[in-house]
């Protein structure tokens, strides 16, 4: 049993210190921080003016309650409804989350587009750097050195 644990622990160490795992961890941490920044931008910068333009609507307080025991009770705010134990559907918070998602998805799209463009440029440069060192003999179609003037296979002049 101890040998099994030791073997698996060594495999885990090898896996964990690989570059891909560390890169992935950094990406997740940066992504979480970026998500918080976008969430704050939506809640604190985008939604207040949008709510003001729509008649001073606070999107975080857009909700409706599901009547329990056949009674419909109107609450002054979402927090008051939740404190009273009412069942609420918080569509205003959903709108905030949806806008956050669209912003993050667009940012990821731009990032992937930029990486693909960079990758294409690098691949193009790599293909330019590949130097041709061989050619084909027109007579026997053998591959020969680019500097050859006579084919070593069929002795044809090139």
């Amino acid at each position: 049993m101890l040998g099994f644990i030791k073997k698996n622990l060594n495999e885990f160490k090898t896996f964990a210190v690989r570059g891909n795992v560390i890169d992935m961890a950094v990406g997740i941490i940066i992504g979480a921080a970026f998500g918080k920044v976008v969430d704050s931008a939506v809640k604190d910068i985008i939604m207040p003016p949008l709510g003001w333009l729509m008649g001073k609507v606070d999107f975080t307080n857009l909700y409706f309650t599901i009547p329990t025991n056949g009674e419909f009770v109107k609450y002054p705010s979402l927090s008051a409804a939740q404190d009273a134990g009412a069942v609420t559907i918080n569509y205003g918070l959903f709108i905030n989350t949806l806008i956050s998602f669209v912003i993050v998805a667009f940012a990821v799209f731009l990032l992937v587009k930029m990486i693909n463009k960079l990758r294409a440029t690098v691949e193009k440069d790599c293909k330019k750097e590949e130097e041709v060192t061989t050619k084909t003999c027109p007579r026997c179609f053998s591959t020969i050195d680019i500097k050859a003037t006579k084919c070593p296979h069929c002795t044809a002049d090139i």
Side-chain angles (χ1 to χ4, degrees):
M1 180 70 170
L2 189 60
F4 174 78
I5 293 172
K6 189 174 182 180
K7 179 184 175 201
N8 286 323
L9 187 61
N10 285 335
E11 286 180 28
F12 177 73
K13 278 192 246 179
T14 303
F15 169 77
V17 296
R18 256 193 236 154
N20 293 345
V21 174
I22 294 169
D23 292 345
M24 184 178 67
V26 169
I28 289 170
I29 292 167
I30 290 174
F34 181 69
K36 288 181 181 181
V37 169
V38 169
D39 192 42
S40 175
V42 169
K43 287 179 184 174
D44 303 328
I45 296 172
I46 295 172
M47 296 312 282
L50 188 62
W52 179 76
L53 288 172
M54 294 179 68
K56 298 182 182 178
V57 175
D58 180 9
F59 279 82
T60 58
N61 271 325
L62 293 179
Y63 70 97
F64 62 87
T65 58
I66 298 175
T68 54
N69 299 330
E71 295 180 32
F72 180 78
V73 180
K74 179 83 170 135
Y75 296 96
S77 68
L78 174 61
S79 60
Q82 289 174 335
D83 290 343
V87 178
T88 61
I89 296 182
N90 311 323
Y91 65 92
L93 294 173
F94 177 74
I95 291 170
N96 282 353
T97 304
L98 191 61
I99 291 172
S100 294
F101 169 76
V102 169
I103 291 171
V104 169
F106 186 69
V108 169
F109 165 75
L110 292 176
L111 180 67
V112 169
K113 187 175 176 178
M114 182 182 67
I115 289 171
N116 287 341
K117 192 174 187 179
L118 182 64
R119 183 177 293 146
T121 303
V122 168
E123 286 175 1
K124 186 178 174 184
D125 289 345
C126 287
K127 285 182 181 178
K128 284 181 183 177
E129 291 176 8
E130 291 177 5
E131 191 176 317
V132 179
T133 58
T134 60
K135 62 183 176 183
T136 304
C137 173
R139 270 222 151 134
C140 69
F141 303 104
S142 298
T143 303
I144 57 175
D145 191 84
I146 193 81
K147 297 176 185 174
T149 57
K150 194 178 259 308
C151 177
H153 303 286
C154 69
T155 66
D157 289 330
I158 298 176

